[in-house]
Amino acid sequence: MSSPHQTLLNRILTENLKNVLKSIESTCLRCHRDPSEVKLIAVTKYAPLEAVRELNRIGLRTYGENRPQQLVERAQTLTEDSEWSPAEWHLIGQLQRNKVRLVLPHVALIHSIDSVQLLSQIDRIAEETGASASVLLQVNTSGEESKSGFPPELLLEQWERVCSFNNVQLCGLMTMAPLTEETKTVRSTFSELQKIQTDLNSTGRHPPLTELSMGMSRDYEIAIEEGATIIRLGSILFEGTAEL
Ligand SMILES: *Cc1c(COP(=O)(O)O)cnc(C)c1O
């Protein structure tokens, strides 16, 4: 039986999701892309567990969490729900080396690899435990000191070493735009990531990086225009649910 509260939550999330999907579709249409090339991740870091349950029921099955501990706790708790449909958990926030062992068995994709040392630790633990490890390299294309990620020059410099780990699947790149109203600046942090992807792929050192994880609630349309294949949306999906 659904409670009135659950019904209302379901209605708001369904409506929000419908609007977001519509806008993804019209953005794709505008820049001649196929909407199926853009994967939507629901960023659930601030959402209560019951809202994640409703999203799962509605059919959105990929979730992004910032903190390894919360990701693991939620993945474990929700898997035990009788109504839960299998889902993917992505880690989008910073990962300390001492949390790799904890999170690796539960995570489908880590977006936030920001050093060779972290990559090396993941490689070692993946080999030891047999867990698969799919990752994105976070690149600080905005150049802001507050942002983590490889500085672009450093990534190019370390590329050969980055490619040398056999137990890690390097799938692509991730970035975050600065918090600004200037769309030109936002757009250039995204287009810079695509340019780095092209540069890295042209070295021929590695199978092509295919994924570009970029775009959040306030800038995902620009990110899609600049080639995003993964967008990470939180607040826009949960709008109106905090007051319930
Ligand atoms: C919180 C967060 C998001 C989602 O942000 P919204 O503005 O709520 O859409 C996306 N990516 C990362 C890395 C985040 O930390």
Side-chain angles (χ1 to χ4, degrees), residues 11 14 35 44-45 64 67-68 75-76 81 105 108 181 185 204:
R11 196 179 303 155
T14 303
T44 48
K45 61 185 181 196
R67 293 176 34 238
Q76 284 176 331
D81 269 23
E181 297 297 318
T185 310

Side-chain angles (χ1 to χ4, degrees), residues 38-57:
V38 181
K39 178 168 175 153
L40 166 61
I41 298 181
V43 175
T44 48
K45 61 185 181 196
Y46 298 133
L49 211 51
E50 52 167 357
V52 187
R53 283 200 181 93
E54 282 311 311
L55 275 187
N56 186 265
R57 193 168 289 139

Side-chain angles (χ1 to χ4, degrees), residues 74 81 95 204:
R74 289 184 156 195
D81 269 23
L95 177 58

